Amino acid sequence: MIPVVKKIGLSLAAFIGACYWLLPLREATGFILTLAAIAAVIGGLGAQMRRVKPWLAPVIRFRFVGPVLVVIGVLLPMFVDDFTLRLYSELLILGLLAMSLDVMMGFLGLASFAHAALAGISSYAVAIILTELDWHPWLAIFFAIGAGTLATVIMGAFSVRVRDIYFGIITLVFGSVFFIIANSWAWLTNGEDGLTITLPVLSFFGLFEVDTSDLRDFWYLSFGVVFLCYAILRQVMLSPVGLVFQGIRENEERTAYVGYNVNHFKILGTAISGFFTAISGVLTLLKSGIIGPEQMDALSSGAVVIWAIIGGLGTLAGPLIGASFVALLANYLIEFTERYVLIIGLLFIVIILLAPRGIVGSLKVHWRGS
Amino acid sequence: MEDLGTLIVRELIMGLANGMLLALVASGFTLILGVMNIVNFAHGEFYMAGAFTGWLILLVVGDSTFGFLVTVVLAGVIVALFGMVIEAGIFKPTHGGNPFIPLMISFGLSLVLQQAALASFGTIGKFVAPPITATVPFFGLEFPVYRIFIMAVSGLIIGGLWIGMARTRFGTWIRATIQDREMALCMGVPVPTVYRLVFGLGCGLAAVSGVLVAPIFSVEYSMGLEIIISAFIVVVVGGLGSLPGTILAALLIGELEALGSIFMKGSQAQILSLLVLMAFLLFRPQGFMGERGLQ
């Protein structure tokens, strides 16, 4: 019993510590910290209870956590102001981008340094179609998701031709060329000024309408999409396909000897990743209606890698949390120094050296002992 | 108005100089990749560090041709030492492990070094006066001697590197480590020392290139990112881990981007390089030379 008491005590101490930190921070940061602390306490308790009383174990399972999250998501707009709601929508969209990177980096072991650029492609596609061609918004969105996925698959198909460690090099080259195109082909992308659209009203089968310029509507849209994407990705990664992905990550040669066509699975993985990247790109555009080349530069793409690694590769939930964590940390640091990226970069190196599994990965090991 | 022929000849020679500078950066990158199996994303930042170090030294020495030569050597040595300290500090713990981790560390390092340069030198580019301002008449146009100076210096360094790799004991150690790290260790090659020195050598080469390029372009915090993309393309086209292939590919890409700049403006010439890279990945993924890139 003693270790149980110790662990619960530690969790409570962490929670109190978080509450203490909460006071000087902004409301938003405080809220996320509180949520994290509550999750840590419930999770810690759950893990302990499972050892003591196995029937309590499912408390921390997704099929129980999922509905709780849905309730929180639906009720949230009643409790927070519009500014905070907008921030949370943004964090979810960033999280979706990091999650789609996790499919490639965490499950397949392919580092991509082009994800912000790839998301930018679908943002640009929606903006160009809506401003130049004036298609129906849904048509523009579907076309943009297709274009973003296609760009990722093309990048992946070229990059899988070299060994894994060089994959990152080629994605960086592709990403920088996409940036150059967005920055300098002014006839298509309006150059450095970028494009601005009027935010469309999306009708869902005529049942209800979502006005993307309304912050509450947009929160429900982004929450619903990101939650659905997480659920789908989780299902895919738990399926046999996801296991083959992990097999490729652990030992490519052996997976090939077992009889799987490794390159086909790698390209399939980039396609899945590209699909969800494109969705996050579309949401990014619908958030503000503005897209510019600076959202596609190497620093933005690198930031996605940082979110995913700090959160924990190969866990899906990790990158989602990591993106919020790093973005809020940046929000907080920027009040003190203009060079906050320097601090985040140092934190990144320290995490890689000391805890390469990231936040969620380390917690998992801590709780489950595996 | 110059006619197209003269323009092409001039750009070809300019491209040769740029290609040789690129070869310096890319060969250091290739050495680190071949010996240590580290994809060094921070390599461009050592190039930038070299340029800033050179700029700082030139503030003290003043601009004379001899002073510039001293600066080139001094900046190379300083950045090489800096690289060795970094290697000992954050890359050594990852030796022999998953190659993914040093890749990520070097990526974080490039971010940190870039931001550190931004914090200490600001966004405004620093200007370095060219040590040689004379020009020679060439095909009816005035050609700057400084470009020829660049070609001479980088040609000397590349030649020295080549002979050093083939003839000296250290070169033999490097080649042995590239071939088989564990066997080299068994035969008495001090592999950890080789790692440290190779990392320093690679950083020094990048720094020398950075100093040489300073009088042509201005010295900025973002210059590393620009060259590293070209260096990546060169390394893949040249054959991963192959030194002669890398030098050949650097000259090719340098010429290509110079010729491209006649018809397109600025960085768009990199789109051409990407097309070359894609063609190589499709038809010859092992590059000019070497098979290490193949799976």
Side-chain angles (χ1 to χ4, degrees):
Chain A
M1 269 316 273
I2 305 243
V4 179
V5 174
K6 201 172 86 183
K7 286 210 171 166
I8 294 174
L10 275 178
S11 309
L12 280 177
F15 179 67
I16 294 165
C19 289
Y20 170 75
W21 275 106
L22 187 148
L23 295 172
L25 299 188
R26 267 196 209 159
E27 191 201 351
T29 325
F31 183 77
I32 289 288
L33 275 179
T34 318
L35 271 189
I38 292 173
V41 172
I42 293 176
L45 280 174
Q48 280 310 322
M49 287 301 177
R50 187 164 54 165
R51 261 175 226 156
V52 185
K53 293 190 173 95
W55 51 270
L56 267 178
V59 167
I60 54 169
R61 296 265 170 82
F62 179 66
R63 73 178 84 103
F64 292 93
V65 176
V68 174
L69 285 177
V70 170
V71 171
I72 293 178
V74 170
L75 295 182
L76 192 66
M78 295 177 191
F79 299 108
V80 297
D81 61 286
D82 281 0
F83 170 77
T84 322
L85 208 55
R86 187 187 154 83
L87 180 68
Y88 290 162
S89 319
E90 196 177 332
L91 293 179
L92 282 183
I93 297 167
L94 299 181
L96 177 60
L97 186 56
M99 213 156 61
S100 59
L101 175 69
D102 194 28
V103 174
M104 269 166 85
M105 260 175 91
F107 288 88
L108 269 165
L110 303 171
S112 162
F113 291 90
H115 259 64
L118 293 168
I121 288 178
S122 57
S123 301
Y124 264 111
V126 175
I128 291 168
I129 292 170
L130 284 183
T131 52
E132 300 289 323
L133 304 175
D134 202 23
W135 287 2
H136 191 273
W138 276 121
L139 206 56
I141 288 173
F142 286 132
F143 188 84
I145 291 175
T149 314
L150 188 69
T152 317
V153 171
I154 290 174
M155 186 190 86
F158 278 101
S159 310
V160 294
R161 295 182 67 84
V162 288
R163 253 170 42 190
D164 284 0
I165 184 170
Y166 311 112
F167 192 93
I169 295 182
I170 305 208
T171 58
L172 189 76
V173 174
F174 268 89
S176 85
V177 168
F178 290 146
F179 167 73
I180 290 170
I181 289 175
N183 201 23
S184 55
W185 287 12
W187 54 272
L188 185 69
T189 63
N190 202 18
E192 286 173 16
D193 298 333
L195 292 165
T196 311
I197 60 162
T198 48
L199 291 169
V201 177
L202 299 173
S203 159
F204 282 82
F205 314 109
L207 292 176
F208 55 94
E209 286 190 337
V210 171
D211 180 4
T212 45
S213 60
D214 180 83
L215 288 175
R216 269 150 214 274
D217 279 15
F218 188 69
W219 160 258
Y220 285 124
L221 177 72
S222 49
F223 179 79
V225 169
V226 174
F227 186 81
L228 211 62
C229 289
Y230 175 75
I232 293 171
L233 274 178
R234 188 173 174 279
Q235 242 16 69
V236 171
M237 290 307 133
L238 287 174
S239 72
V241 172
L243 292 181
V244 176
F245 285 172
Q246 293 180 49
I248 292 172
R249 181 192 64 197
E250 293 303 327
N251 194 329
E252 194 177 323
E253 278 183 359
R254 236 179 252 177
T255 315
Y257 288 144
V258 173
Y260 293 105
N261 187 332
V262 170
N263 273 357
H264 284 191
F265 274 95
K266 281 184 181 170
I267 293 172
L268 176 67
T270 52
I272 295 173
S273 174
F275 179 75
F276 290 99
T277 307
I279 292 179
S280 103
V282 171
L283 283 177
T284 311
L285 178 73
L286 293 180
K287 181 191 73 196
S288 56
I290 305 166
I291 173 75
E294 71 282 351
Q295 294 180 25
M296 294 174 69
D297 63 5
L299 196 62
S300 313
S301 293
V304 188
V305 175
I306 292 181
W307 302 335
I309 288 187
I310 288 186
L313 284 179
T315 57
L316 284 184
L320 197 64
I321 292 167
S324 300
F325 175 75
V326 177
L328 288 175
L329 183 68
N331 251 358
Y332 179 60
L333 288 175
I334 205 166
E335 288 177 13
F336 302 105
T337 166
E338 212 182 322
R339 300 275 82 81
Y340 62 96
V341 181
L342 184 67
I343 298 171
I344 291 177
L346 286 173
L347 175 74
F348 174 73
I349 295 181
V350 169
I351 286 196
I352 285 271
L353 279 173
L354 299 183
R357 292 168 195 267
I359 297 173
V360 172
S362 306
L363 286 179
K364 266 191 175 168
V365 171
H366 181 66
W367 286 337
R368 295 189 184 160
S370 66
Chain B
M1 187 63 201
E2 299 161 343
D3 59 68
L4 191 63
T6 344
L7 202 61
I8 287 178
V9 170
R10 191 183 63 183
E11 285 300 333
L12 277 177
I13 302 171
M14 296 280 193
L16 191 63
N18 286 350
M20 289 179 96
L21 286 174
L22 192 54
L24 282 184
V25 178
S27 54
F29 181 86
T30 299
L31 269 180
I32 294 175
L33 182 62
V35 174
M36 305 171 71
N37 206 14
I38 291 178
V39 174
N40 187 13
F41 271 81
H43 207 69
E45 268 52 61
F46 289 106
Y47 166 84
M48 175 210 45
F52 273 114
T53 315
W55 175 72
L56 283 174
I57 298 173
L58 279 173
L59 286 184
V60 182
V61 234
D63 37 325
S64 64
T65 312
F66 180 70
F68 191 80
L69 271 176
V70 171
T71 307
V72 168
V73 175
L74 210 56
V77 171
I78 290 174
V79 174
L81 289 175
F82 175 61
M84 280 151 83
V85 171
I86 295 236
E87 198 273 340
I90 60 177
F91 284 110
K92 190 154 185 279
T94 67
H95 284 172
N98 184 351
F100 200 64
I101 289 178
L103 174 90
M104 287 302 147
I105 290 177
S106 73
F107 167 69
L109 181 67
S110 89
L111 207 63
V112 167
L113 290 179
Q114 225 178 73
Q115 292 292 320
L118 188 57
S120 23
F121 299 105
T123 46
I124 301 159
K126 308 288 182 224
F127 178 73
V128 171
I132 308 165
T133 46
T135 53
V136 284
F138 187 81
F139 274 98
L141 54 94
E142 293 296 312
F143 192 77
V145 177
Y146 181 64
R147 299 275 179 161
I148 298 168
F149 172 78
I150 287 183
M151 287 187 227
V153 173
S154 26
L156 269 178
I157 294 175
I158 291 170
L161 191 66
W162 204 303
I163 293 171
M165 284 285 278
R167 291 295 162 87
T168 63
R169 166 173 296 202
F170 182 56
T172 319
W173 283 352
I174 292 179
R175 282 183 291 132
T177 315
I178 292 178
Q179 258 182 18
D180 191 331
R181 176 177 171 267
E182 272 163 25
M183 191 47 98
L185 202 56
C186 293
M187 303 300 279
V189 175
V191 170
T193 317
V194 171
Y195 274 17
R196 179 126 342 135
L197 290 175
V198 161
F199 200 86
L201 179 65
C203 295
L205 286 174
V208 165
S209 179
V211 182
L212 286 174
V213 92
I216 306 178
F217 307 113
S218 62
V219 181
E220 295 174 69
Y221 78 97
S222 62
M223 63 192 290
L225 189 68
E226 284 155 26
I227 193 114
I228 197 76
I229 305 282
S230 301
F232 281 164
I233 296 176
V234 162
V235 168
V236 177
V237 167
L240 296 150
S242 147
L243 195 58
T246 302
I247 292 163
L248 207 60
L251 297 180
L252 175 81
I253 295 290
E255 294 291 7
L256 190 78
E257 289 189 357
L259 282 181
S261 70
I262 302 177
F263 305 104
M264 333 173 158
K265 61 175 197 297
S267 53
Q268 293 198 46
Q270 260 183 1
I271 299 176
L272 272 185
S273 313
L274 177 82
L275 291 178
V276 171
L277 173 72
M278 285 165 78
F280 263 87
L281 285 176
L282 265 189
F283 301 113
R284 200 174 160 77
Q286 70 270 43
F288 275 141
M289 297 169 189
E291 289 136 44
R292 293 176 57 88
L294 270 182
Q295 19 193 334

